[in-house]
Amino acid sequence: MGRAPCCDKASVKKGPWAAEEDAVLRAYVAEHGTAGNWIALPRKIGLNRCGKSCRLRWLNYLRPNIRHGGFTDEEDRLICSLYASIGSRWSTIAAQLPGRTDNDVKNYWNTKLKRRLLGGGRRSIRYALPLPQQPRLLLMSPTGGGAASTALERMQLSVQRRHVGIQDAPGLPFYGNLWPAQQSVLSPAAGYSGFWSHIQTSTNPGGTTPLVTSPAGETAVGVGSSSSTPAASSVTFDGDMEDEIEMLLQQIGCLEEEDSRLLIGGEAGSAGSWSSCSTPGVDSVFQDYVQGHGQ
DNA sequence: AAGGCTAGCAACCGCACCAGA
DNA sequence: CTCTGGTGCGGTTGCTAGCCT
């Protein structure tokens, strides 16, 4: 037995908001604030809308100081760095970009940045970044995307960024966050207790603020509790990232050679057993992502 | 000019978290 | 401790304008 829906979906209006609806909602929030009950709000103000829809409309469009479009290079870099470091935590990423909403950042990533950096798009079968003189990584997905590709996208992004020499945001080395063994703060001998716990303990111990900027302008990422935050596991990590990635892909039988391109086969979500990997840290990170996003 | 395709954006859906009863 | 309802979040889909053939 599932939980009751938040509203009568059959009777509430869906689709684009009319200017009058915006005006009603804006006026109410201006007078009473947003601290109330979103579910009950539409009834109170006579809007035939779902409360969640009202909340979304307010947060994404009616809220003061919202900016749309026109992302700057600096914002591009920050989004890339943060995505590479923490993945698709759009609300966390958006929180570091004043005036931007998670929806905006998510759309911007999916429609512009991902395509620009990794190639492909939501309706593409193959993602390819034209990188002359470099081996090209292509992600093949029968669905043109999908949650299971997220980890691969981030690996791909990491390789791309190294090949093309993209600078990370100050104090935000991508590898240091994704592959802890390459960060001096944590030696292999010290053990690796999972990607997420690593980020938290090495950059923001005990804190809940997702991202902290030091007086020197350095930025560190921390990750608070989240529905998709995987549980930490006690393993050690001691290996070279790209070797491990290649080995993993070969093990799951999805790495092929084609015209000097590396192909990553389509069924990432059903990729075989990660446990056969010799480097537990890599295994753990892969598994974390697949489990965390493969639903 | 018309039809198909693609990109971009707005909005919805469903799940998980969390606080209060 | 358990249940319930509100909220937050990420993934996905629908719509539309512009481009291409």
Side-chain angles (χ1 to χ4, degrees), chain A residues 21 98 103 107 152 160 182 203 206 218 243 245 259 278 287:
Chain A
E21 291 176 307
N103 208 36
N107 282 335
L152 292 174
Q160 298 289 4
Q182 300 194 8
T203 62
E218 292 187 347
D243 288 347
I245 292 172
D259 299 331
S278 65
Q287 221 157 25

Side-chain angles (χ1 to χ4, degrees), chain A residues 94-278:
Chain A
Q96 311 311 317
L97 300 168
R100 301 296 187 187
T101 68
D102 55 353
N103 208 36
D104 250 5
V105 174
K106 179 172 57 181
N107 282 335
Y108 185 56
W109 169 262
N110 283 331
T111 60
K112 302 262 185 64
L113 288 179
K114 185 160 81 175
R115 187 169 297 115
R116 193 191 306 164
L117 294 172
L118 305 179
R122 125 174 125 152
R123 293 174 176 90
S124 300
I125 299 300
R126 292 183 171 192
Y127 307 152
L129 177 71
L131 271 184
Q133 301 173 345
Q134 296 292 348
R136 290 166 64 183
L137 273 170
L138 290 102
L139 287 173
M140 296 176 64
S141 168
T143 60
S149 69
T150 302
L152 292 174
E153 281 174 11
R154 291 173 60 191
M155 286 187 293
Q156 191 181 12
L157 177 58
S158 107
V159 174
Q160 298 289 4
R161 289 162 65 82
R162 287 221 312 198
H163 281 322
V164 301
I166 293 175
Q167 296 298 308
D168 288 298
L172 209 88
F174 168 72
Y175 269 4
N177 286 329
L178 183 55
W179 303 100
Q182 300 194 8
Q183 193 176 46
S184 60
V185 67
L186 191 69
S187 72
Y192 168 53
S193 59
F195 169 53
W196 301 103
S197 62
H198 162 72
I199 285 180
Q200 212 156 22
T201 54
S202 66
T203 62
N204 190 21
T208 55
T209 306
L211 197 130
V212 178
T213 302
S214 75
E218 292 187 347
T219 310
V221 174
V223 178
S225 68
S226 161
S227 59
S228 55
T229 302
S233 56
S234 296
V235 293
T236 57
F237 180 80
D238 180 19
D240 177 81
M241 184 193 83
E242 288 177 26
D243 288 347
E244 287 292 334
I245 292 172
E246 188 170 336
M247 186 192 68
L248 279 166
L249 295 173
Q250 284 172 343
Q251 283 180 348
I252 64 177
C254 61
L255 188 62
E256 302 170 9
E257 286 290 329
E258 180 188 286
D259 299 331
S260 77
R261 296 174 176 181
L262 293 173
L263 297 182
I264 300 175
E267 298 189 346
S270 60
S273 169
W274 299 105
S275 62
S276 58
C277 173
S278 65

